[in-house]
Amino acid sequence: MSEGCQTRRMYGHDYAVPGTYEVTIVVAGRLPVFGEIVGTTKVGGEKPRLQPSVLGQAVLANEIPKIHHYYHEVDVWQVCLMPDHLHMIIRINQPLPKGKHLGIVIGAFKGGISRAWWSQNATVSAASASDEHPPLFEPNYNDHILMRDGQLDNWKRYLRDNPLRYMMRREYPGLFQRMLCIKIGDTRYSAFGNLLLLRQPEKHQVMFHRYTDGIPTENTNFWTTEKHRFIAASLSGDVLVTPGVSECEKRIKKIALEQKLRLIHVQGEPIGRYWKPERSRFEACASGSLLIMAPWPEDMPTFNSAYERFHYLNRLAETICAISHTTDVTIQGLRLAHGG
């Protein structure tokens, strides 16, 4: 999830009626106040998990149950507490009372955790006379409305595997550099960057034709609307997938690279043993926000036109977007762990 931007409200959606949501809350400054991840991904070792701090224990034992206690219409289906952030899958079973909505519920929950933190922190408590407390959380929160088939299962698996992904990044940094053979289904790729982006549960294909209704797409209202939609999704932590061929695809790719938004770039140029991207993409890979993928040259068809190449790369992007927690992804004989 992108730091500093935790809002993904769907305009026009009624957050007081029954629905299922994935909610993410991030600690200000990414301070690991909830505990630390212990364990290992190595065979025979203890499975990675959060060893909660005193505050983390209070969140799990006291603050989470308060949600249903004060709002009987709301159930917390699943929780993933990480050192510096929190994921929850929340179900609103019945319409909330008048004047109440999901934002009110989350605001009260954050307030309860903040008070628990202040009561445990002697330095902060000393400032209580002035009623001025430093904020524990980043402003607002992030939510995904879980409506599509399979979306809930993908998020449940994502939350369960979060500690595993955290430890993988620590123990196997090579997974985030270069892989010369990744097999997704029957297609072989080479890749450079953050491979765990493949397992992110929310991926969006960015595809624009050169013209829309005879007008260059970049000059249409359709482009303006779609651009805002894609950037808003990416700011919320979703992954954009595109070959960046058409003018509008290139513009979205440029914005994603400049803002370090999560991006999978499907390119036609092969990725060999000594291949490296240019500086902007290299820096994005190093930050963990970019994965570059290219099909093996032996698997590439012969194109009779740029139009055929455009559609071929976008079909690959569509396939990558369809990857879920059940999709088999193999890296040089190593099966990529579920998650992102």
Side-chain angles (χ1 to χ4, degrees):
M1 198 187 98
S2 179
E3 291 183 56
C5 181
Q6 287 194 74
T7 180
R8 184 200 172 84
R9 306 291 86 78
M10 178 182 284
Y11 295 108
H13 179 76
D14 188 347
Y15 283 87
V17 300
T20 306
Y21 305 88
E22 185 279 326
V23 172
T24 302
I25 304 167
V26 178
V27 176
R30 291 281 185 173
L31 295 175
V33 297
F34 296 136
E36 63 176 331
I37 301 297
V38 297
T40 180
T41 64
K42 296 179 173 61
V43 176
E46 181 186 8
K47 184 178 179 181
R49 62 177 179 83
L50 179 80
Q51 182 171 291
S53 63
V54 174
L55 180 63
Q57 292 173 354
V59 170
L60 296 172
N62 302 325
E63 302 305 325
I64 295 289
K66 286 180 183 178
I67 293 178
H68 181 71
H69 176 77
Y70 289 108
Y71 296 94
H72 299 297
E73 304 86 357
V74 180
D75 285 327
V76 179
W77 280 0
Q78 191 167 332
V79 177
C80 175
L81 191 63
M82 295 295 285
D84 58 8
H85 66 280
L86 168 69
H87 296 287
M88 294 187 294
I89 295 179
I90 292 179
R91 173 65 187 177
I92 299 178
N93 295 304
Q94 300 175 18
L96 290 170
K98 185 176 180 180
K100 304 296 183 180
H101 53 77
L102 181 64
I104 299 293
V105 175
I106 299 303
F109 173 66
K110 291 172 65 176
I113 299 175
S114 296
R115 286 188 292 273
W117 168 246
W118 297 332
S119 69
Q120 295 171 16
N121 189 307
T123 303
V124 174
S125 296
S128 60
S130 62
D131 292 325
E132 294 181 359
H133 298 293
L136 177 60
F137 294 105
E138 295 283 352
N140 220 315
Y141 64 95
N142 173 270
D143 75 80
H144 289 89
I145 306 173
L146 307 185
M147 297 184 293
R148 300 194 304 272
D149 290 342
Q151 197 176 18
L152 176 60
D153 287 340
N154 283 345
W155 272 108
K156 284 182 176 179
R157 180 65 66 93
Y158 180 82
L159 267 58
R160 285 196 298 269
D161 288 347
N162 231 3
L164 174 64
R165 290 190 301 272
Y166 180 98
M167 193 58 69
M168 284 181 65
R169 288 192 291 269
R170 178 187 297 176
E171 294 182 340
Y172 301 104
L175 286 177
F176 308 99
Q177 298 178 15
R178 184 194 311 273
M179 286 291 158
L180 298 179
C181 182
I182 299 176
K183 191 173 183 182
I184 303 172
D186 296 325
T187 305
R188 297 175 297 177
Y189 299 84
S190 298
F192 189 100
N194 184 356
L195 292 169
L196 293 187
L197 293 181
L198 287 173
R199 289 298 190 190
Q200 286 292 322
E202 300 287 343
K203 296 185 287 290
H204 305 269
Q205 182 182 5
V206 178
M207 178 180 177
F208 291 96
H209 288 276
R210 184 178 177 184
Y211 293 96
T212 301
D213 296 329
I215 303 172
T217 301
E218 62 268 26
N219 296 331
T220 64
N221 290 332
F222 172 74
W223 154 248
T224 302
T225 301
E226 287 297 280
K227 177 181 69 173
H228 288 313
R229 181 174 71 86
F230 283 129
I231 298 307
S234 189
L235 284 170
S236 296
D238 296 357
V239 177
L240 304 181
V241 185
T242 185
V245 175
S246 68
E247 174 60 24
C248 291
E249 290 173 4
K250 290 177 182 176
R251 293 187 182 191
I252 294 291
K253 185 184 77 170
K254 184 173 184 292
I255 293 170
L257 291 174
E258 290 175 346
Q259 298 186 26
K260 295 295 189 293
L261 306 177
R262 290 176 171 179
L263 173 70
I264 296 177
H265 179 209
V266 184
Q267 66 177 31
E269 178 188 2
I271 297 176
R273 187 172 301 277
Y274 301 106
W275 178 91
K276 288 184 179 179
E278 76 282 5
R279 181 174 179 177
S280 63
R281 289 195 297 166
F282 186 89
E283 291 176 348
C285 288
S287 73
S289 63
L290 175 65
L291 173 64
I292 305 169
M293 301 186 67
W296 277 24
E298 296 89 338
D299 295 346
M300 291 268 285
T302 300
F303 303 117
N304 296 317
S305 65
Y307 186 77
E308 288 184 1
R309 179 176 179 273
F310 166 85
H311 278 282
Y312 172 77
L313 292 176
N314 268 293
R315 281 196 297 272
L316 294 182
E318 182 180 13
T319 299
I320 291 169
C321 283
I323 291 174
S324 72
H325 65 270
T326 62
T327 305
D328 188 40
V329 178
T330 304
I331 305 173
Q332 292 182 328
L334 170 67
R335 193 166 184 268
L336 181 62
H338 293 312

